[in-house]
Amino acid sequence: MLTNGHDNSPSKYITLVSSDGFEFVVLREAAMISPTIKGMLRGQFAEAITGRCQFPEVSGVILEKVVEYFHFWYKNRDKEDVPDMDIPVELCLELLVAADYFGLDSKLLPTTFYKTTQESVVLTFSLAFFALQNKHEIPYSMG
Amino acid sequence: MADEPSLPTLPPPLATSSAVMSFLGDRRKRARGMNTPSSLSTSSDPAVFSSDDDPALDNYVYGRRKKRYVGTWYDQHPASSDSADSAMGDDMRPPLPKPPKRQFRRQLDSGVYLGLEVSTDTDESFDLEPRAAKLPLSAKPPLLQSVARTRLSLEEVEAQRIIQSCVDTGKEEVDLSDLRLQSIANGILEPLSELTPIPTIAKDVAFEQKDPSIKLFLGNNSLRQFPLAILGIEYLTVLSLRANCLTEIPPAIALLKNLQTLNVAQNSLRFLPAELLDLMKKGGPLCSFQFHPNPFYQPQELSYCRWGAADYEERTFSPNSEVEVESIWTGITTTLQARTPVQFSDSARRICSDFCFPPENTPVREQLVQEDFWEVAVPKDAASRSLTQGPDPVMSRRGPPSLFEVALRAAMRAPELDELSSLLVDEGIPPHLPAAVDRAVQIHRMGGQTCCVCQRRMLSPVTEWIEFREVQRTSVKLIERGGTRTEVEQSTRMAANWVPFVRRGCSWNCIPYKAREPPSSEERTRLLVMPVS
């Protein structure tokens, strides 16, 4: 998982784990548009070494959509007139919070990467997610 | 068995029982080998077969209908004893499952549509769109209950009567002024988009159906919101919104391509949309424009250097096609004088730059600082290629929108737009999110907004700046002399003050172009705009 065989370069893929234990294997390059994930994978954190990021605040349904967006972005990053990604209405508000949490903001477009300190931001939104999920029982069933 | 494709295993209770196998085998007309009982099920249409349950002669005396079975044989249950099977005896067959009794109750989605008795074309609360699934967050009742508009106010009824009479008689001047209208439902104005004048029928005049030129007067009312149905009236030529309480003109006003006269004087406007400039260019339709008095933003300094202004206009925005002037044209044009710094924010409307616009409900006329055209102040933490090199309309058009934007667009399909932000009011959820959703709903209601640099649709503008422009009345004459055509242009200033036009961008890439280097001191003095007298 850590390296891809012969050399010591990190694996092309990383694993994102949701609160309910679903694991998503994502192309590292695609996931790096999120400043939050980028921050987690930098330096000598456990996440950076194992390539495995736990998101105890994000449910599997939402993380699945976020992962879908990562690949949607990666596939269309050089294209013009990209069609909208399909998002069910009932997920939109949680995805808004998730977009805020992952830093997938409009100010950030594919050609730009920002160096921001995300740690404090992550903390704030962890609390937000916690509140959101405890308050309302979200009627999802997966798997 | 070997040459036939093997089929999936059959359902256990019937398929494996030898009783069924023999039941079918005897029923077959053409023998294709006793070992291939499944050939019936390979057909794409459901097989139809009949059965003679009891071929005893007594049964045929009064005529007898055969039972027909549709579908695969193994879904059928051998119904009763017949001669072929009688040898095995009824007791060998599995008991038939009883079909569930149909209950006598209403089918909710019957497909029958019951029309309402009242006419629905004036009632905007009637929602033709199907109600989408409820948002999962609405565990508690929403804080804000949207008031269902079931009844029109007296003023609106009066307006409706006037409009109806105009539509009936084909009258193009629709005068709704002095009605004390507070708001006007979309349904009331919509008939106007179908108004057609009655053509003059006279002797020796060719019958001609001409395009209408609708004139709508809404002056001296108390409108707080620009009535959006106006944007649907394609042949609107005169629009007067004088003396209302409008705070914003929607960017979609550029849809009114035939608008010749616009009056927005005596409102509470602080700026105009930059999209209005589409109508105010050389060869454009607008030839009369009243906009004073309004509490417009004012520039702080009046002496100002315009170095780089042309570069900025040319390089920031994708080229705007100018309409060819044929021989004579008189209309409204504008000249860029100055611009403010850019207000950078993120999607959730948290401001990240030093410069920010004053809060919305300040009664006094605000003065805004200006920024030179050779400078663009960017937030400290933004280190991007394009922020230093200037925008590239082609580059910024690439790539998908952000997830935030995508989610906002999905949210706009929700039926409860009014209550959307209240669903996000909860402890722990960042307080700026509801504000961002509110703003998106507002933009969505105003007919959408496009980014001024890359022309993409957006619901969460993240850059915003104001251009101060001088509004002029210009007349252009084309003079042909010896084969060469020369344009003679004459402009007269319409107002002493500059008028602010707001520009909005969809990403931090969509910002003003920065002139390469500051001007030399001689050029600076040459291009200095002196205070307006």
Side-chain angles (χ1 to χ4, degrees):
Chain A
M1 201 69 206
L2 171 58
T3 59
N4 55 2
H6 314 293
D7 49 68
N8 264 347
S9 67
S11 158
K12 253 178 86 180
Y13 298 92
I14 56 167
T15 310
L16 310 181
V17 187
S18 73
S19 60
D20 36 7
F22 289 97
E23 296 187 5
F24 300 91
V25 179
V26 196
L27 207 60
R28 180 184 289 262
E29 206 183 325
M32 284 297 228
I33 52 156
S34 160
T36 311
I37 293 181
K38 201 177 178 187
M40 286 170 102
L41 293 175
R42 196 174 39 207
Q44 289 301 306
F45 298 117
E47 286 93 347
I49 295 163
T50 57
R52 194 183 159 86
C53 304
Q54 301 263 4
F55 295 102
E57 311 88 4
V58 190
S59 74
V61 185
I62 297 298
L63 194 60
E64 188 197 14
K65 273 286 166 194
V66 173
V67 167
E68 191 187 326
Y69 176 79
F70 285 152
H71 282 115
F72 167 78
W73 170 82
Y74 189 74
K75 202 176 72 189
N76 295 308
R77 64 193 187 283
D78 286 331
K79 290 187 189 151
E80 281 185 35
D81 298 326
V82 184
D84 258 9
M85 196 177 103
D86 181 47
I87 288 180
V89 178
E90 54 271 22
L91 291 186
C92 63
L93 290 185
E94 281 160 287
L95 266 174
L96 269 183
V97 184
D100 209 38
Y101 171 77
F102 283 103
L104 298 170
D105 198 283
S106 284
K107 69 181 188 186
L108 190 122
L109 268 190
T111 44
T112 56
F113 290 106
Y114 292 89
K115 292 175 197 139
T116 43
T117 49
Q118 286 293 327
E119 282 71 24
S120 60
V121 182
V122 170
L123 193 73
T124 326
F125 296 124
S126 314
L127 292 172
F129 254 104
F130 190 70
L132 193 71
Q133 298 213 318
N134 277 12
K135 189 90 180 180
H136 314 294
E137 287 156 13
I138 298 157
Y140 298 134
S141 57
M142 271 190 71
Chain B
M1 200 69 166
D3 51 338
E4 284 285 326
S6 63
L7 282 161
T9 51
L10 298 166
L14 284 169
T16 50
S17 76
S18 61
V20 180
M21 291 293 191
S22 61
F23 163 74
L24 190 100
D26 284 359
R27 211 128 301 288
R28 206 191 292 278
K29 281 188 177 163
R30 272 186 296 166
R32 286 188 60 189
M34 295 301 282
N35 289 339
T36 58
S38 55
S39 58
L40 269 174
S41 62
T42 53
S43 146
S44 55
D45 281 332
V48 177
F49 57 93
S50 59
S51 108
D52 223 356
D53 292 336
D54 188 4
L57 192 64
D58 304 347
N59 290 324
Y60 291 93
V61 175
Y62 301 108
R64 185 163 183 275
R65 237 194 300 171
K66 286 184 176 182
K67 239 180 199 168
R68 280 159 58 87
Y69 294 98
V70 179
T72 49
W73 59 268
Y74 48 78
D75 288 335
Q76 313 296 330
H77 306 285
S80 60
S81 63
D82 57 16
S83 64
D85 274 325
S86 59
M88 301 197 307
D90 286 346
D91 49 341
M92 280 187 69
R93 292 198 193 92
L96 297 178
K98 268 203 166 175
K101 222 177 178 183
R102 267 185 66 191
Q103 281 176 344
F104 185 71
R105 63 183 176 135
R106 190 174 159 229
Q107 298 263 303
L108 282 179
D109 186 9
S110 63
V112 179
Y113 174 71
L114 296 172
L116 294 181
E117 276 182 17
V118 289
S119 117
T120 52
D121 47 2
T122 59
D123 191 353
E124 69 158 7
S125 70
F126 183 70
D127 199 0
L128 275 178
E129 281 170 13
R131 282 180 81 79
K134 260 211 165 278
L135 298 162
L137 286 173
S138 59
K140 60 179 176 186
L143 302 175
L144 290 166
Q145 286 291 339
S146 66
V147 186
R149 290 171 52 110
T150 47
R151 200 173 290 178
L152 300 173
S153 65
L154 281 176
E155 294 86 13
E156 279 175 302
V157 173
E158 174 67 12
Q160 193 176 16
R161 194 188 59 75
I162 294 173
I163 287 176
Q164 197 53 50
S165 75
C166 285
V167 172
D168 289 346
T169 57
K171 193 178 154 203
E172 288 166 314
E173 287 95 31
V174 183
D175 191 356
L176 300 176
S177 44
D178 301 306
L179 285 180
R180 275 170 295 170
L181 285 165
Q182 301 240 336
S183 64
I184 185 158
N186 284 343
I188 296 178
L189 288 171
E190 263 157 23
L192 279 182
S193 51
E194 273 131 45
L195 191 149
T196 39
I198 295 167
T200 48
I201 300 169
K203 213 180 168 187
D204 302 328
V205 176
F207 181 82
E208 195 182 22
Q209 182 80 52
K210 65 177 170 81
D211 285 341
S213 76
I214 296 165
K215 304 173 177 66
L216 180 58
F217 301 95
L218 279 163
N220 248 337
N221 284 301
S222 317
L223 297 174
R224 295 182 175 279
Q225 292 252 311
F226 186 92
L228 280 179
I230 289 177
L231 302 175
I233 310 172
E234 194 190 343
Y235 294 107
L236 192 68
T237 53
V238 177
L239 175 60
S240 169
L241 291 160
R242 184 182 51 84
N244 277 293
C245 311
L246 303 178
T247 53
E248 204 167 347
I249 301 283
I253 196 161
L255 292 173
L256 298 172
K257 294 279 182 234
N258 297 307
L259 196 63
Q260 290 165 7
T261 305
L262 178 63
N263 189 342
V264 292
Q266 296 176 56
N267 278 294
S268 311
L269 301 170
R270 286 160 302 123
F271 49 78
L272 296 169
E275 284 76 5
L276 200 57
L277 296 174
D278 283 355
L279 306 177
M280 298 201 272
K281 58 188 179 191
K282 206 162 79 183
L286 204 67
C287 50
S288 168
F289 181 44
Q290 275 89 46
F291 50 91
H292 273 302
N294 264 309
F296 283 135
Y297 287 138
Q298 289 303 307
Q300 215 165 51
E301 315 151 47
L302 288 172
S303 65
Y304 198 69
C305 182
R306 291 189 58 230
W307 165 263
D311 262 4
Y312 153 76
E313 270 195 290
E314 202 174 296
R315 307 280 293 265
T316 309
F317 311 110
S318 22
N320 215 337
S321 56
E322 266 201 359
V323 186
E324 277 287 307
V325 176
E326 277 169 16
S327 57
I328 278 190
W329 175 82
T330 313
I332 306 291
T333 55
T334 57
T335 317
L336 178 68
Q337 298 294 341
R339 72 165 171 80
T340 65
V342 184
Q343 171 187 291
F344 289 87
S345 59
D346 61 9
S347 290
R349 290 181 65 69
R350 281 169 296 187
I351 289 162
C352 309
S353 56
D354 294 336
F355 172 78
C356 67
F357 289 111
E360 282 186 12
N361 40 12
T362 41
V364 285
R365 238 165 214 253
E366 291 287 339
Q367 292 201 330
L368 298 182
V369 293
Q370 288 129 298
E371 189 179 51
D372 294 312
F373 289 108
W374 59 91
E375 270 170 22
V376 173
V378 298
K380 281 184 207 74
D381 57 348
S384 115
R385 187 197 56 80
S386 65
L387 287 187
T388 50
Q389 289 183 4
D392 184 343
V394 181
M395 278 301 282
S396 15
R397 214 172 294 144
R398 290 199 182 146
S402 69
L403 182 62
F404 200 92
E405 177 79 26
V406 172
L408 274 181
R409 285 184 200 172
M412 292 308 122
R413 298 200 310 263
E416 308 99 337
L417 279 185
D418 285 326
E419 299 147 16
L420 210 57
S421 62
S422 66
L423 296 177
L424 277 170
V425 178
D426 206 338
E427 56 180 306
I429 294 183
H432 49 262
L433 279 184
V437 172
D438 270 342
R439 176 75 186 142
V441 169
Q442 199 190 340
I443 291 177
H444 176 74
R445 290 246 165 98
M446 287 202 308
Q449 168 128 44
T450 53
C451 171
C452 67
V453 177
C454 65
Q455 305 295 325
R456 291 203 289 193
R457 294 187 69 75
M458 60 176 177
L459 287 168
S460 56
V462 292
T463 56
E464 209 168 333
W465 69 96
I466 282 201
E467 284 175 2
F468 289 108
R469 287 174 171 267
E470 197 173 83
V471 180
Q472 306 136 333
R473 179 174 286 115
T474 308
S475 58
V476 180
K477 248 187 217 163
L478 268 184
I479 299 169
E480 277 193 53
R481 198 175 292 152
T484 51
R485 299 169 67 157
T486 41
E487 274 186 15
V488 179
E489 210 174 305
Q490 208 174 11
S491 298
T492 43
R493 199 163 58 214
M494 282 179 67
N497 293 330
W498 294 342
V499 184
F501 289 88
V502 73
R503 295 267 189 194
R504 293 193 174 116
C506 68
S507 80
W508 283 14
N509 279 350
C510 299
I511 50 165
Y513 173 81
K514 182 169 124 183
R516 293 250 173 261
E517 55 215 28
S520 61
S521 55
E522 302 105 65
E523 275 167 330
R524 195 181 286 232
T525 45
R526 189 169 62 81
L527 286 163
L528 195 70
V529 175
M530 291 317 285
V532 187
S533 51

